[in-house]
Each structure stands twice: as structure tokens, then as C-alpha cells.
Amino acid sequence: MRPLKIGLALTTILLFALFAWITLFRAGPYGAPGHQWGSPAHRTDFSVYRDAAAAVLHGQDPYAIRNQRGWAYVYPPPFSVVMVPFALLPMPVSVLAWYFVCAGLTISAVSMSGQLAGAGVSGERKRLAITFIPALLVSIWFTVGLTRGQASVLMTWLIIAAIFWEHKGRVAAAAACLAGAVLLKAFALSLLCYYAWRGRWKMVAASLAAIVLGGLLLPSAAFGWRGNLHYIGEWTREVAAPALGSESSRSHSELYDQLLSMERPRNQDLGSVLQRLVGGSHTTPMVLALALAVGLPIWLVGRRSTRESEPLILGAVVVWMLLVSPVAEDHYFSLYVLPAACALAALLAADRSKRRFGYAILTLVGLLNVGSVVDRRFETYGAVFWGGLLLLFLLLYIARSEEDATQATLREYGEHVGND
């Protein structure tokens, strides 16, 4: 077992070192004209965050800046304030600093997922599998997020950390992480709805308080109260409102080509996949109705959840949250590391036929992820989205099976007591 751990650790270190060089290269070019190195195409999102943070330092509008490729800053105001330390560093140093922060967050997210899903699982080899196999299934999206300098790794860590700390009873830390996720990607509000559904009102109240604190008070220290409200309004008009509209309404946005186009293969949410497959002018209410239809089985199975099936219900909510998001680029799906870990942990305790069935679905999910990178046609037809639906089905199938088994055990016990 020890050689296996050492081998996995060394492989991980070597891969992170390789990805560090790729990330630095992609964020080029560096140096004076005629003596430049790095990618001439400047294929990174990190410079957008860094330039927005520089705008904060100089009292400028972060939503007015554009990086070398003409990309705009599209996140709520707090993230531009958080990124200020990186704007104080030279570009190559700040690129590597952000990369190593995200690499650490990746390791932490994978570790927390393994601990959450593997709680109560006996056997070191099984716990190791619960940690590393789900990470392998979504490793392509962690890699994409890291090498493109994306904020998706931070988003994944914040959501998993919120779930982890809430499970540990550390509500303040969990609420701070969930608030951070919401203020980065608003679709994380779905997780807040889950806690309300489960009656965890302390978590809900603490998270709402943290959202107000982080969304209003923190940025106001940098922008002033009126300035912050102005930028919140600007983000709502330029990003949030168009994202909630149809393809035709999105096409009028300046961010259409950069982010909002449903025709971009990289967008793997329900609305975008539907647009690419059937075309037409389907409306927001239609997408919303389909989203509710996909979520209905979660509610039906979740009504009678047990202690054993609850992690699977939570995993299903996380999957649904991404599938129905107004915008869900492929690298967001690194978040599937937690639902996949929950599914694998439950399968390890299942009977042989169920294990084989579950392993086949998890393998197919991983292949669809890889296929989306190897051949763009996979993404065009929504391979990552369909893989998410498969994972959602697997989670609910296992949860329902465990609930049925629990009910059968209780009935047998009741009959036994009655006969006595």
C-alpha cells in the first residue's frame, strides 16, 4: 500500500510541475517586442482578474477593462477586490502565484471529497480509491481550469469546503465558503436551497449574513457604498440579466462571444445543449420547466432519505445545480469530484451486479469527459451534460435502492416484533 501512495504522490507532483509550465506559457507573451516568449495568443483568463484588480487599485471601473484578447471581467465586484494582491506582482510571478494557489485548492478539494464520501468506509485501499478515482474521472476539467487560469477551481473548492465544514458542524466556516461561492458563481444559491429544504436553518441564516457581508460591506471598503451599488447594478445589467435570457436576447450582449453564446460547444448547461441540438427559439420558461423536471426525481427520492442515502441526495443536488445553471462551461464540471466520490463509496458496499452497473456508468462519464477534449463534436452534442445526467441517475438509483433496503429491514423487524 505504501509504494502505491508514494507512486501516486510523485505522479501528482510531476503533473502539477508540468501544468505550471503550461500555465505560465499560455499566459504569455512576456518581454519586449522582438525578445518575447510564451504564447502569442495569450490564452488565459487570469489576466482579466488581474487587470480588474488593477482597476480597483487605480479607482477605475473593473467592468470597463479588457485584457489582451479583449475579454471583459464578468464576476461580481467582490472577486476583483480579492484579487488585488496579484495585481501588485509582475505578470509571470502573479500567474505562477495564482496557479499554485489553485493547485493547493485542487488537492484540498479532492481530499475533502474523499473524506466526506469515505466516512465510515473501512479499508485503506477503499478510501484511497474513493479519493483518487473520482479525481481521475474529472481530472481533465481540473487541468483545463488550472492551465487556463480559471476561477472554476476556486469555485469547486468553495462549494466542497462549504459542504465539508457544514458536515463537521463548523457552520461559520461553511457559511463563509458558501457565500464566497455565491459571490463568485450565483448558481451556488441552489446549495443554499438544499440546506433550507433539509431544515438546516442555522446554515441558511449564517450564509445569508455572509453573502450580505461579503457582497456589500467588503467591496464598499474599496469602492464606497454608492460605487459598490453601481458596480452591482452594472454586473446585473451586463452579465446576470442577459445570462437568464434566451439565445436571441443574449446575442445583443457585448459578452455574447466571450461567455453567453449557447452555440459555444464549451457551454454544457441544459439551455445551451438544447439550443445546439434542436435550435429554434425555445424560451426561458421552457428551459426552466425542463430544469424542474430534472430536479423532480431528486425531491421524490429525497423525501424518504436515510442517513446512508443523504450524501447521495446531496451529490444529486450538486449535479443538478450545474446542469441547470444559465451558463456552465466545461471546466466547471470539476465539481463532479464530490458526487462521483459519493457514488463510488456507496457502490463499494453494494452487491456485485449493482457494482458492475455503477462502475460502467462512472467509466462512461469519464470517457465522455475525455471525449469532449479529444473531439469537439462531443462537446457540441453535450457530452459533459449527458455524462452529468448519467451521474445524476446513478446517484438517485443507489439512493433509492438503499432506502428500499432500509424500509425492508424495518418491515422485517416490525413483523418479527409482532410475532413475538
Side-chain angles (χ1 to χ4, degrees), residues 152-168:
S152 55
V153 174
L154 173 60
M155 179 269 297
T156 292
W157 182 86
L158 286 169
I159 291 176
I160 293 176
I163 296 170
F164 181 83
W165 292 123
E166 196 279 335
H167 180 74
K168 295 292 185 181

Side-chain angles (χ1 to χ4, degrees), residues 210-401:
I211 291 171
V212 172
L213 179 65
L216 294 179
L217 299 184
L218 172 64
S220 294
F223 303 125
W225 182 259
R226 291 185 177 180
N228 185 40
L229 292 179
H230 170 76
Y231 291 140
I232 291 174
E234 189 171 359
W235 174 79
T236 302
R237 289 190 305 273
E238 300 298 329
V239 183
L244 294 174
S246 64
E247 175 72 357
S248 58
S249 62
R250 292 184 183 201
S251 63
H252 300 293
S253 170
E254 183 183 352
L255 301 174
Y256 179 74
D257 292 329
Q258 176 185 335
L259 178 69
L260 298 177
S261 172
M262 291 179 170
E263 297 292 344
R264 295 171 72 241
R266 190 176 296 170
N267 282 338
Q268 292 291 304
D269 54 273
L270 170 63
S272 296
V273 173
L274 184 65
Q275 173 67 31
R276 293 196 296 271
L277 290 181
V278 302
S281 56
H282 62 270
T283 62
T284 300
M286 182 187 300
V287 175
L288 180 60
L290 289 173
L292 292 175
V294 173
L296 180 61
I298 301 176
W299 178 74
L300 292 174
V301 177
R303 288 186 306 168
R304 48 193 291 240
S305 66
T306 63
R307 180 181 178 184
E308 291 75 20
S309 67
E310 187 60 27
L312 299 167
I313 300 300
L314 175 55
V317 170
V318 171
V319 173
W320 179 85
M321 177 174 69
L322 273 178
L323 293 180
V324 303
S325 171
V327 177
E329 295 191 345
D330 49 20
H331 51 92
Y332 293 13
F333 291 81
S334 59
L335 185 56
Y336 279 1
V337 67
L338 177 58
C342 292
L344 181 59
L347 288 171
L348 290 174
D351 59 68
R352 187 176 181 181
S353 61
K354 194 177 297 181
R355 280 203 308 272
R356 287 183 173 180
F357 176 70
Y359 294 164
I361 288 186
L362 289 176
T363 301
L364 182 56
V365 171
L367 291 174
L368 288 171
N369 287 336
V370 174
S372 297
V373 176
V374 174
D375 190 332
R376 181 56 63 89
R377 286 175 296 182
F378 277 85
E379 272 197 326
T380 300
Y381 294 118
V384 184
F385 171 83
W386 298 116
L389 277 184
L390 284 174
L391 182 56
L392 177 63
F393 165 76
L394 178 62
L395 288 161
L396 294 178
Y397 169 71
I398 303 171
R400 180 61 183 267
S401 298

Side-chain angles (χ1 to χ4, degrees), residues 23-33 35-39 91-93 95:
T23 302
L24 185 63
F25 180 85
R26 288 173 63 100
Y30 309 99
H35 301 280
Q36 292 182 333
W37 64 278
S39 171
M91 182 63 178
V93 177
V95 168

Side-chain angles (χ1 to χ4, degrees), residues 174-194:
C177 291
L178 181 53
V182 170
L183 293 172
L184 187 64
K185 305 282 188 183
F187 65 73
L189 281 169
S190 297
L191 188 56
L192 189 63
C193 295
Y194 163 80

Side-chain angles (χ1 to χ4, degrees), residues 35-95:
H35 301 280
Q36 292 182 333
W37 64 278
S39 171
H42 191 70
R43 302 183 64 183
T44 181
D45 276 24
F46 169 73
S47 59
V48 178
Y49 317 148
R50 184 176 180 271
D51 291 347
V56 173
L57 284 174
H58 296 97
Q60 299 172 344
D61 183 352
Y63 294 98
I65 62 97
R66 300 291 183 269
N67 75 348
Q68 294 182 37
R69 295 195 68 178
W71 292 345
Y73 176 72
V74 297
Y75 296 97
F79 187 51
S80 64
V81 178
V82 171
M83 295 298 289
V84 162
F86 295 94
L88 300 173
L89 301 172
M91 182 63 178
V93 177
S94 62
V95 168

